[in-house]
Amino acid sequence: MRKVKLLIAVLVCSVMMMGVGYAWWSDSITMATTAKTGDLDVDFVKGEVRDKSGKNIVEGEVKKLYTKPDYIYCELDKLYPGAEVIVDVTVKNTGDLPVKLKSITFSDKNTGSWDLDSQIDCELVGSYDTLGVNEEKTYKVRVTVEENANDFYQSKTANFNIHFNWEQWNKTN
């Protein structure tokens, strides 16, 4: 019986020593890191208006065309049924992330009391490309007047904003 008690005592001591040994040999590491987020920023550089043949539009037909940080403002007159003009919009990625053109929207079309906005269509000509950091690109926006616009719309001015909506571009999207 004495040998059994001695054997149990040795076993208990061995198990306790294993626990102490494990505690002495375990370790943990704490690491502090800093994550910096990128900046998504695309600016309009310039805008030009030309007719569908490629000629620059004369001054009387473009009342205003200017760039703002977030949109291009267009004010066009001397349009007629079936008229088509191209607005060349040059943008530059001034952020530090590559971006992709997600969509183009048009707002505040024809804020006057007449309804020419129902007679004008605006659309992007080409593809919704990506734009690398510090890259500059010119997009073409086609503005057309419906063929069936009646005489009520004569001598009216079309004014609208062109908004380019960007998203961060990753190789996965």
Side-chain angles (χ1 to χ4, degrees), residues 158-173:
N159 52 40
F160 51 92
N161 299 322
I162 303 172
H163 299 267
F164 281 55
N165 305 306
W166 302 93
E167 65 183 353
Q168 178 182 335
W169 181 79
N170 298 318
K171 290 184 180 184
T172 58
N173 64 354

Side-chain angles (χ1 to χ4, degrees), residues 1-84:
M1 183 65 114
R2 197 167 130 94
K3 287 185 178 184
V4 172
K5 286 183 183 179
L6 182 63
L7 187 58
I8 290 174
V10 169
L11 256 142
V12 169
C13 285
S14 297
V15 170
M16 286 178 18
M17 293 302 283
M18 283 175 53
V20 171
Y22 176 76
W24 284 345
W25 286 99
S26 65
D27 197 4
S28 67
I29 296 175
T30 303
M31 182 171 30
T33 60
T34 301
K36 184 177 186 247
T37 59
D39 182 31
L40 193 148
D41 191 18
V42 179
D43 293 329
F44 289 106
V45 177
K46 67 178 179 175
E48 296 177 341
V49 179
R50 55 190 172 83
D51 64 18
K52 61 184 172 184
S53 70
K55 295 179 190 171
N56 283 340
I57 300 292
V58 296
E59 189 63 34
E61 293 172 334
V62 179
K63 289 182 127 181
K64 293 180 186 171
L65 178 71
Y66 58 86
T67 59
K68 291 290 195 180
D70 297 328
Y71 65 91
I72 292 257
Y73 174 79
C74 295
E75 190 172 311
L76 308 172
D77 70 3
K78 299 196 180 180
L79 298 175
Y80 51 88
E84 179 180 310

Side-chain angles (χ1 to χ4, degrees), residues 142-163:
R142 179 182 301 126
V143 179
T144 56
V145 179
E146 296 290 330
E147 291 279 343
N148 60 355
N150 64 35
D151 290 345
F152 174 76
Y153 301 108
Q154 289 187 72
S155 301
K156 305 294 183 189
T157 299
N159 52 40
F160 51 92
N161 299 322
I162 303 172
H163 299 267

